[in-house]
Amino acid sequence: MLKVSQPVKRILVPLISIFLGFLVGAIVMLIFSYSPIQAYASMFQGALGSMSGIGETLRQATPLIFTALGFSVAYSAGFFNIGMSGQALAGWVASIWVALAFPSLPTYVLLPLAIIVGALAGGFVGAIPGVLRAFFGTSEVIVTIMLNYVVLYTSTYLLQNVMPKSFRSSTDSTQTITSHASLRMGWLQNAFGGSRINAGLFLALIAIIIFWIMMKKTTLGFEIRSVGMNPFASEYAGMSSKKTIIMSMVISGVLSGLGGVVEGLGTYQNFFTQTSSLSIGFDGMSVALLGGGSALGILLASLLFSILKIGGLGMQTGAGVPFEIVNIVIAAIIFFVAIDYVIGLLFKQKKAKDADAGAKPEQVIHQPKGGTEV
Amino acid sequence: MTKSEYVVEMRKITKDFGGFKANDQVDLKVKPGEIHALLGENGAGKSTLMNILSGLLEPTSGEILLNGEPVKIDSPTAANRLGIGMVHQHFMLVDAFTVTENIILGNEPSHLGVIDRKKAEKEIKELSDKYGLAVDPTAKVRDISVGMQQRAEILKTLYRGANILIFDEPTAVLTPQEIEELIEIMKSLVAEGKSIILITHKLDEIRHAADRCTVIRRGKSIDTVEVKGTTSEELAEMMVGHSVTFKIPKAPAQIGTPILNVKGLKVNESRGLPAVKGIDFTVHAGEILGIAGIDGNGQTELIEALTGLRKVVGGAVVIKGKDVTNAAVRKITETGVAHVPEDRQKYGLVLQMSLSENLALQTYYQAPISHHGILNYHEMRQEALRLIKEYDIRTTNEQLRAGELSGGNQQKAIVARELDRNADLVIVAQPTRGLDVGAIEYIHRQLIDQRDQGKAILLVSFELDEIMNLSDRIIVLHDGKIAGEVRPETTTEQELGLLMAGSSKQAAAQEVK
Ligand SMILES: Nc1ncnc2c1ncn2[C@@H]1O[C@H](COP(=O)(O)OP(=O)(O)OP(=O)(O)O)[C@@H](O)[C@H]1O
Ligand SMILES: [Mg+2]
């Protein structure tokens, strides 16, 4: 056992986790007789080897930052939001709808309007499980999972049956939005080799800062953390746990909705029939958990995640590793980062108790009522 | 086995929590077959020392000998193997499990991988009968009383073959009746040759139960004395380092205007059954109204209803002329109410938050701690440091998690937060549970000061001493109704006891004569 101090441990543990993940991935590839070195080389080549690769990686990270922040806010209040896919999808559809309905409004009106409507749509879908839990004690896990399906099929129905025909280019997709509603910026795309990187990235960075300020510096963040850790004491202190849970779910939904907005107004420029729940919803959970719920952690984890995703494509084309193996490798890395708790046990912490005491209150994510460490 | 005079010998134990020595060269020697009391102020390091003995904490230095043999106790399992069992200050039972399931948790007796519950139940029943514990092994923990839960904890240690039992403040949560029974149980355990280490703040319990007593002050061992031949005053003085007043002198009450009016109040308990069945009383400025009664006669529900935590189903609560029946908690608080809740860990504190955040729990949304929803952590810390100093909360620093404060200091933190708000109505439930005599004296003084400043004080306590010493008037609650109102000068503990048991006032007065 190694003796290290707490700050060192906090950096070392994720690094070792990532390393172990890559190691297991390499073993898997060896078993199926692919060259890990070649595969990882093409992974990093794909994700970071060119300006357009870097652009795509940043583009991929953008919605993940939003959904991860959304997950963290709800999680701090003791709420497990699995419904981010649906909330993001609602944001995506709503923003595209607005963009197509008023195509000729000037950018400074249309773009904010589309973004806000998308955010509100996400917030609305997020509010539903919040209200149900606050007033009827319904388990949010089931409600949010079910709402993912509701939103998924509703989005297809809206696209195919409710949207004016003129909005559509085919039965399965809408027209492309006008530049007035687009988050793309010519200079940015040019700087990054024509990738789909867009101004959503700046919005995401702003969101990280706002999230940090909200959780650490505001009374609302104080209430969210307090209710998440001890709802009884919070009620005693005059906080309304109902109000706080609903608020945190609305904020979570708004952030997830923005994740969908940047997909719509930034990445794809239209909406098309989705056959399954949006992966950014689930990946956002992983990112939040990997990032330990802290603002900086989420930023780094979202980058790692998108390197794996974008680089994974490179692995297929560059090293001929089939998609399935790529996913195993990605999963192995996530697995090891996620069980960093176990890896943390390798270190015998100096002054375990007090170092911990200093660190915990600063953290946004905690274990709700003796839950397991993630 | 080397014969030694002592079963347990802890030598020069030091425990350093990041620069703060919770134990500093502490010595403790326990003889076989004795009840050995451990006495010390809140935060003196008693729980820490016992956590070391039971393998939960590792000492920074020092050694432990069992029957003269040096041992290494590096985990609770190791402690179990060595025959050491601990009944904790805060119980460690799983609510939804039965007593048996809780007891066998972790070392389930099994037959071919199937848990042999019947066998375990039978063994536990036998153990329970042997020591007169009367625990039903098949009952779910959440359905049995606190006293019974504690006995389940005792059974757990016995079932695992404990020879040395540690009780950390076992009586803080018990009724006087249960305390007597517990002392009997402990005596029958030592009669069987077991040894007991007992932590308690109640000096008469030590005098009742213990053979010898070791006193710890601020992490250092002061002395070990024979209990026979030592007075409570001597023990208290050894513990705090100066003499302690048990009964605080107070001037006659200057009764002012009514602050709290309760009219025909009806409240239900959680299962929907009536708990408070229509009661009326008034608390005036400048007086302490004590509510006496055996636990479970509606006190908890009454207080929760007064402070907005529980719905009122009938009647009215009026504070300073304002009807606050079923008002929101914050509205009631802002009307001028301070509340020291009965359950400090569930309601009083957010254990994972820092002490300074906990001290700001009622004021975080107001200036100077926040402006327009933005918190000022610097101000929050300054406030916390002031309260820590003023109310003598023993802590390493204001950023320590509340859960890491000693039990008594958690209580002091709540009292500090509540009394400091200068509220006109102060509602306190079990304010001194788990506090050392010095801290009790301090809090009693605070309450009397508040009274003398013209505050109205409603005091709920199961401790008759406390009620008798502090109250200007006493009402006795029995079965959700007021069984009688008495004055401390003219009543006796005996009369109170009868009222608490449900006799009418006349009958009680008769009997006392
Ligand atoms: N994990 C920890 N980190 C830092 N300090 C701690 C920790 N645990 C306990 N302490 C400190 O050590 C001191 C002794 O605590 P301990 O719980 O042993 O007191 P105690 O004698 O049992 O008091 P009480 O009668 O109030 O229960 C306290 O000041 C407490 O704040
Ligand atoms: Mg203690």
Side-chain angles (χ1 to χ4, degrees):
Chain A
M1 292 229 220
L2 293 156
K3 287 211 174 198
V4 295
S5 68
Q6 183 72 9
V8 176
K9 184 180 156 183
R10 275 172 91 176
I11 298 167
L12 219 50
V13 169
L15 287 183
I16 294 179
S17 308
I18 294 169
F19 175 75
L20 285 176
F22 278 98
L23 194 68
V24 169
I27 294 170
V28 171
M29 285 188 277
L30 281 176
I31 291 173
F32 292 97
S33 44
Y34 296 99
S35 155
I37 295 177
Q38 199 190 350
Y40 285 138
S42 39
M43 169 183 257
F44 286 105
Q45 180 61 33
L48 305 170
S50 64
M51 282 319 271
S52 76
I54 294 174
E56 274 301 302
T57 301
L58 292 174
R59 193 274 305 158
Q60 175 75 42
T62 306
L64 294 182
I65 292 173
F66 280 113
T67 49
L69 293 177
F71 182 78
S72 296
V73 172
Y75 191 69
S76 297
F79 198 104
F80 212 75
N81 184 7
I82 312 184
M84 294 188 302
S85 289
Q87 292 146 22
L89 190 53
W92 184 347
V93 175
S95 63
I96 291 292
W97 197 317
V98 170
L100 292 174
F102 311 101
S104 49
L105 280 177
T107 305
Y108 61 87
V109 179
L110 183 57
L111 187 55
L113 183 71
I115 293 173
I116 290 170
V117 171
L120 291 179
F124 173 75
V125 176
I128 296 171
V131 169
L132 290 176
R133 156 98 173 258
F135 289 97
F136 305 104
T138 334
S139 153
E140 74 269 19
V141 174
I142 297 166
V143 175
T144 48
I145 290 177
M146 287 307 153
L147 272 177
N148 282 342
Y149 291 105
V150 173
V151 177
L152 177 62
Y153 296 116
T154 307
S155 73
T156 307
Y157 178 78
L158 289 176
L159 174 66
Q160 294 177 350
N161 302 295
V162 183
M163 271 191 190
K165 271 218 167 61
S166 61
F167 284 15
R168 273 185 282 154
S169 60
S170 74
T171 46
D172 277 329
S173 88
T174 68
Q175 303 279 6
T176 302
I177 55 172
T178 59
S179 63
H180 294 206
S182 174
L183 280 168
R184 290 201 184 165
M185 299 165 99
W187 63 269
L188 193 61
Q189 281 186 285
N190 291 339
F192 286 95
S195 68
R196 291 174 293 173
I197 186 170
N198 58 72
L201 181 63
F202 304 128
L203 295 180
L205 295 177
I206 294 170
I208 288 183
I209 294 167
I210 294 177
F211 166 84
W212 184 83
I213 293 174
M214 182 185 84
M215 295 309 285
K216 296 246 165 146
K217 301 282 173 201
T218 69
T219 53
L220 177 65
F222 186 83
E223 286 170 359
I224 288 177
R225 285 187 292 135
S226 175
V227 166
M229 291 188 233
N230 186 344
F232 299 103
S234 306
E235 288 274 347
Y236 154 87
M239 302 174 196
S240 159
S241 59
K242 284 192 174 71
K243 195 187 102 193
T244 309
I245 284 180
I246 296 173
M247 265 310 279
S248 69
M249 270 311 286
V250 169
I251 295 172
S252 179
V254 162
L255 286 164
S256 310
L258 286 170
V261 168
V262 298
E263 291 286 68
L265 303 183
T267 309
Y268 297 106
Q269 308 275 305
N270 68 354
F271 177 70
F272 49 91
T273 306
Q274 298 295 311
T275 48
S276 63
S277 293
L278 294 189
S279 63
I280 54 168
F282 301 104
D283 294 345
M285 283 170 65
S286 311
V287 169
L289 295 173
L290 297 195
S294 78
L296 182 64
I298 286 176
L299 180 62
L300 296 177
S302 68
L303 289 175
L304 171 68
F305 221 90
S306 28
I307 290 174
L308 295 178
K309 284 239 153 174
I310 301 295
L313 301 172
M315 270 163 89
Q316 288 176 63
T317 48
V321 182
F323 186 63
E324 289 74 15
I325 304 279
V326 172
N327 274 334
I328 293 177
V329 174
I330 293 178
I333 294 170
I334 294 167
F335 176 81
F336 275 99
V337 183
I339 62 157
D340 67 355
Y341 172 71
V342 179
I343 291 164
L345 293 182
L346 295 175
F347 299 101
K348 191 174 171 70
Q349 243 173 278
K350 276 195 254 176
K351 315 176 215 156
K353 277 283 169 67
D354 61 294
D356 198 35
K360 274 292 156 58
E362 315 289 303
Q363 262 174 6
V364 174
I365 282 204
H366 57 91
Q367 296 95 48
K369 291 146 247 146
T372 45
E373 189 117 7
V374 273
Chain B
M1 197 169 70
T2 22
K3 259 292 158 211
S4 160
E5 198 193 337
Y6 301 109
V7 255
V8 179
E9 217 181 323
M10 298 181 83
R11 287 189 188 158
K12 298 206 182 316
I13 300 288
T14 297
K15 176 71 195 176
D16 192 321
F17 286 117
F20 171 80
K21 287 192 175 123
N23 286 160
D24 188 359
Q25 311 255 20
V26 177
D27 291 317
L28 176 71
K29 292 173 182 163
V30 181
K31 291 180 182 166
E34 74 165 343
I35 299 181
H36 192 110
L38 200 53
L39 180 66
E41 291 179 278
N42 296 123
K46 304 175 299 290
S47 297
T48 305
L49 187 67
M50 289 303 105
N51 286 336
I52 289 172
L53 183 57
S54 61
L56 283 170
L57 289 175
E58 224 181 303
T60 313
S61 65
E63 58 174 347
I64 302 174
L65 288 78
L66 294 184
N67 298 310
E69 301 273 4
V71 289
K72 190 164 161 45
I73 309 175
D74 49 10
S75 70
T77 331
N80 264 334
R81 248 196 337 267
L82 293 165
I84 299 170
M86 179 149 171
V87 177
H88 288 274
Q89 194 165 2
H90 303 106
F91 300 155
M92 301 190 169
L93 296 170
V94 183
D95 263 11
F97 281 10
T98 68
V99 171
T100 303
E101 285 164 340
N102 266 290
I103 291 173
I104 61 179
L105 202 68
N107 54 348
E108 301 85 355
S110 60
H111 182 69
L112 301 173
V114 180
I115 294 182
D116 195 344
R117 192 186 308 253
K118 280 276 162 307
K119 177 161 163 265
E121 257 165 32
K122 193 162 150 284
E123 286 170 6
I124 290 165
K125 186 94 186 65
E126 281 166 13
L127 262 182
S128 165
D129 290 345
K130 183 169 168 198
Y131 296 103
L133 293 173
V135 176
D136 174 5
T138 58
K140 286 232 165 68
V141 164
R142 64 158 169 260
D143 297 332
I144 60 180
S145 71
V146 178
M148 278 297 164
Q149 291 182 12
Q150 184 175 62
R151 292 182 186 192
E153 286 271 13
I154 299 175
L155 271 178
K156 186 156 93 185
T157 59
L158 291 175
Y159 182 78
R160 297 186 179 174
N163 218 6
I164 300 152
L165 283 88
I166 304 166
F167 288 84
D168 193 353
E169 292 192 42
T171 58
V173 291
L174 301 184
T175 63
Q177 176 65 28
E178 286 173 322
I179 292 175
E180 249 162 61
E181 289 167 11
L182 177 66
I183 291 180
E184 283 316 305
I185 292 168
M186 289 196 289
K187 287 192 167 156
S188 73
L189 286 168
V190 287
E192 286 283 323
K194 305 204 183 284
S195 310
I196 290 180
I197 302 174
L198 167 68
I199 300 180
T200 176
H201 290 294
K202 297 182 191 161
L203 300 171
D204 48 336
E205 281 165 16
I206 295 184
R207 305 193 46 74
H208 245 84
D211 302 299
R212 296 192 310 143
C213 175
T214 294
V215 180
I216 305 186
R217 193 195 308 153
R218 301 203 178 208
K220 296 197 168 71
S221 38
I222 300 299
D223 201 0
T224 300
V225 295
E226 294 288 331
V227 170
K228 276 204 192 68
T230 314
T231 63
S232 298
E233 284 76 14
E234 284 166 341
L235 285 175
E237 200 173 328
M238 247 191 277
M239 171 169 110
V240 295
H242 56 82
S243 67
V244 180
T245 327
F246 288 94
K247 192 168 167 126
I248 292 152
K250 57 176 204 228
Q254 303 291 322
I255 309 278
T257 50
I259 299 288
L260 169 67
N261 275 308
V262 174
K263 296 178 207 149
L265 188 71
K266 292 200 177 100
V267 189
N268 289 346
E269 38 103 291
S270 304
R271 284 167 298 176
L273 303 171
V276 177
K277 304 170 179 172
I279 63 174
D280 302 80
F281 65 87
T282 303
V283 191
H284 301 87
E287 74 167 342
I288 300 180
L289 177 70
I291 296 189
I294 299 168
D295 193 6
N297 277 279
Q299 298 94 324
T300 308
E301 289 80 6
L302 169 65
I303 300 271
E304 286 178 359
L306 294 181
T307 51
L309 287 166
R310 184 177 286 274
K311 224 178 136 239
V312 172
V313 292
V317 179
V318 179
I319 296 173
K320 295 204 286 180
K322 285 197 203 89
D323 187 344
V324 293
T325 319
N326 284 328
V329 178
R330 183 153 291 166
K331 179 150 179 269
I332 295 178
T333 307
E334 288 179 347
T335 311
V337 179
H339 174 201
V340 176
E342 179 182 345
D343 190 333
R344 69 170 86 115
Q345 301 215 326
K346 185 168 170 191
Y347 285 101
L349 297 167
V350 181
L351 293 177
Q352 302 96 317
M353 277 191 170
S354 69
L355 172 59
S356 81
E357 286 176 303
N358 271 286
L359 288 172
L361 207 57
Q362 298 271 26
T363 45
Y364 71 93
Y365 63 96
Q366 294 165 330
I369 295 180
S370 71
H371 295 277
H372 309 295
I374 303 292
L375 288 166
N376 181 343
Y377 270 94
H378 177 73
E379 197 60 47
M380 190 190 281
R381 265 181 215 155
Q382 290 316 111
E383 272 295 291
L385 290 173
R386 182 178 67 77
L387 290 173
I388 289 169
K389 191 149 168 270
E390 241 168 72
Y391 290 82
D392 190 27
I393 302 167
R394 306 266 169 91
T395 173
T396 40
N397 63 65
E398 79 288 352
Q399 292 305 96
L400 197 70
R401 270 200 280 174
E404 268 151 1
L405 290 172
S406 81
N409 281 300
Q410 293 178 356
Q411 182 72 1
K412 281 201 207 167
I414 298 172
V415 169
R417 180 182 72 210
E418 296 304 313
L419 293 191
D420 195 65
R421 293 212 321 278
N422 201 19
D424 294 311
L425 174 62
V426 180
I427 299 177
V428 287
Q430 317 299 345
T432 56
R433 181 182 273 182
L435 292 192
D436 67 62
V437 288
I440 292 176
E441 181 191 0
Y442 180 80
I443 285 179
H444 284 179
R445 257 187 222 292
Q446 290 286 327
L447 289 175
I448 290 173
D449 275 358
Q450 295 268 325
R451 174 193 87 146
D452 294 343
Q453 288 164 29
K455 313 286 187 218
I457 296 174
L458 182 66
L459 165 73
V460 175
S461 177
F462 305 140
E463 307 274 350
L464 279 186
D465 285 354
E466 185 162 77
I467 292 272
M468 291 285 270
N469 285 344
L470 289 179
S471 312
D472 297 307
R473 284 188 297 136
I474 300 170
I475 57 180
V476 180
L477 220 51
H478 177 259
D479 190 25
K481 292 196 277 278
I482 294 180
E485 179 180 328
V486 294
R487 293 193 157 264
E489 315 86 72
T490 55
T491 189
T492 57
E493 293 211 356
Q494 207 184 348
E495 187 189 18
L496 269 183
L498 286 165
L499 284 172
M500 280 161 63
S503 310
S504 70
K505 190 155 184 231
Q506 289 83 346
Q510 264 323 309
E511 199 152 333
V512 173
K513 276 183 200 142

